[in-house]
Amino acid sequence: MGDTGPTGPVMDRDEVDRALARLGVEHEAIETSLLALQDHAGRRLLEGTGLTGVTAERWSAAEASITLLWNCFDAYTGALRTAREIRSRRRWSSREDLAELTELLRGEAVTMAGVAATAGAPECGPNRLSERYSLAALVDRMNQLYATSLDMVVAADAVWSALPARIDLLAAELQRTRRLAHSVGVRPGEHPAGDDLERITRTLTGLRERVVSDPLAFWTPAEGSSAPGGGRPDTTVYDREARALEDVRREIDAVLAVRQDAEQRIVRLRDVLSRADRTLAEARTARGEVLAKIAATEVPVVSGPPTVLQEQLAAAAEYRRHAQWHRLSPLLESLEEKAEDELLRARESLTAVTAPLAVRAELRGRLDAYKAKVARLGHAEDPELAEKYEKARRMLWSAPCDLRVAGQAVLRYQHAAAELLGSAPRVPGQGGPVDRTGPGA
């Protein structure tokens, strides 16, 4: 083609027809996208919501962009309609028609009023009242406006779709937990879990209000993503409160468990403390017996049962009667541990008090065992052994019994028996041969 114009070579009819077909497809695609943006649920919500914060600022700019986007589309539509009208004047377009079409399709033939300034494009100089665009440049501009507007709408809609519903579900669970907590006496000011429930309630209420009015404050864009709506809702606050509510629920479940088995636990506590008291009483009786029957020995004093545990047990029963489960729970745990310790202390006291009697019983058993051994081997009538046996027996079966002296008497009898039987027993703490025959030999 030899003819040229300001935009370069003049297009022939085939080029014009191909360009018009391409622009028609492009026009249809742009129109479809704009209508979809117009009907987007997020856009309708943005228009009907009292916005605050960063969302209010960005929506103000997005509304201006959407308005400008439609203006650009109208200008694009007008230019395309004009080009089609020129092409349809005659079947074989004249040279003048082709030159006009070339200017319209390739040149800067579309005039927009203050497009750059209105769309927030970077300013390269003083603002101009109008801008001239080619159809290709106008499409690029519309694509840019559409992408930024859609990104904002999709992000807001994603937050609204994700967070409010989850917050409402958590709030419903919170209400159920509060009713359950109230039923077991977990109330604000009386139990830490009650205070936590109040704080979670305030936080969720404020969170929902902020999410509805400023959704973009809870949006985390995806790094390196250029696609509209690339990112995810920020659920940090929601997740934290959900975990806090779960902790409270576990604590209330523990209180509920106390309510279910409180009576049995109190009965067990009474039994443990009663056994401890009986053991201490037995230890006191045993101490009197030891003091009467055993001489020259230290017998530990037996203390009485601690009244504080009985007082706490009475308080636990009172808490149960008045359904104060949140107070009963920690008290029962503490009492159960203290009651077991008290029973162990009573048993140790009884063991310590009766130790001298156990030593006397061991000496008696050893003396009789050696006597039976001697008799079994045919030496029961030995006068020396009989004398030593009787002396040791009188000491062990008389009151008060001196364990130290009686122990020495038993040891002398053992030595005599061992010599008679041809062996000598080993004295504890001393060297010497060991009596290996033993009472059961």
Side-chain angles (χ1 to χ4, degrees), residues 57-297:
E57 296 176 5
R58 287 191 58 185
W59 176 238
S60 178
E63 280 189 306
S65 295
I66 293 173
T67 299
L68 178 57
L69 181 55
W70 278 104
N71 291 339
C72 290
F73 180 71
D74 290 341
Y76 180 85
T77 302
L80 181 59
R81 183 171 54 249
T82 300
R84 285 171 173 170
E85 289 174 353
I86 296 173
R87 178 65 184 89
S88 64
R89 289 175 186 171
R90 51 185 64 86
R91 182 177 180 182
W92 304 101
S93 300
S94 65
R95 183 176 303 173
E96 291 76 12
D97 290 343
L98 292 175
E100 187 176 359
L101 285 168
T102 300
E103 176 62 24
L104 186 58
L105 297 176
R106 290 183 175 175
E108 294 180 348
V110 181
T111 301
M112 295 293 301
V115 174
T118 306
E123 296 182 5
C124 299
N127 290 341
R128 288 178 286 183
L129 296 178
S130 63
E131 291 283 347
R132 293 183 64 84
Y133 283 84
S134 67
L135 290 180
L138 195 58
V139 168
D140 291 340
R141 188 68 176 128
M142 284 191 289
N143 286 336
Q144 177 189 357
L145 293 169
Y146 176 79
T148 56
S149 301
L150 182 63
D151 180 72
M152 190 268 177
V153 170
V154 170
D157 185 57
V159 173
W160 279 330
S161 299
L163 273 176
R166 296 174 68 181
I167 293 172
D168 290 343
L169 289 174
L170 189 61
E173 176 63 23
L174 173 63
Q175 291 304 316
R176 288 191 293 271
T177 304
R178 290 183 66 179
R179 288 193 295 270
L180 190 61
H182 186 80
S183 71
V184 295
V186 176
R187 299 179 178 88
E190 298 181 7
H191 193 280
D195 298 333
D196 289 340
L197 288 175
E198 287 298 302
R199 183 195 60 75
I200 295 171
T201 301
R202 292 192 300 269
T203 301
L204 287 183
T205 301
L207 177 63
R208 195 184 195 287
E209 292 174 355
R210 294 196 303 275
V211 166
V212 170
S213 65
D214 191 10
L216 294 187
F218 298 88
W219 179 253
T220 303
E223 294 184 6
S225 175
S226 59
R232 61 177 180 80
D234 182 1
T235 61
T236 302
V237 178
Y238 168 86
D239 294 338
R240 183 190 67 209
E241 299 308 314
R243 289 192 297 270
L245 180 58
E246 180 62 26
D247 292 340
V248 172
R249 181 55 194 254
R250 281 197 294 268
E251 188 165 351
I252 293 174
D253 286 342
V255 175
L256 283 171
V258 170
R259 183 173 69 176
Q260 292 172 356
D261 60 4
E263 183 176 3
Q264 294 179 356
R265 292 173 70 180
I266 290 176
V267 169
R268 285 197 298 270
L269 276 170
R270 287 198 182 103
D271 178 63
V272 172
L273 291 178
S274 177
R275 281 188 285 157
D277 290 347
R278 290 196 302 270
T279 304
L280 287 177
E282 185 180 351
R284 287 191 293 273
T285 300
R287 185 173 188 274
E289 181 182 353
V290 169
L291 291 175
K293 295 181 177 181
I294 307 299
T297 186

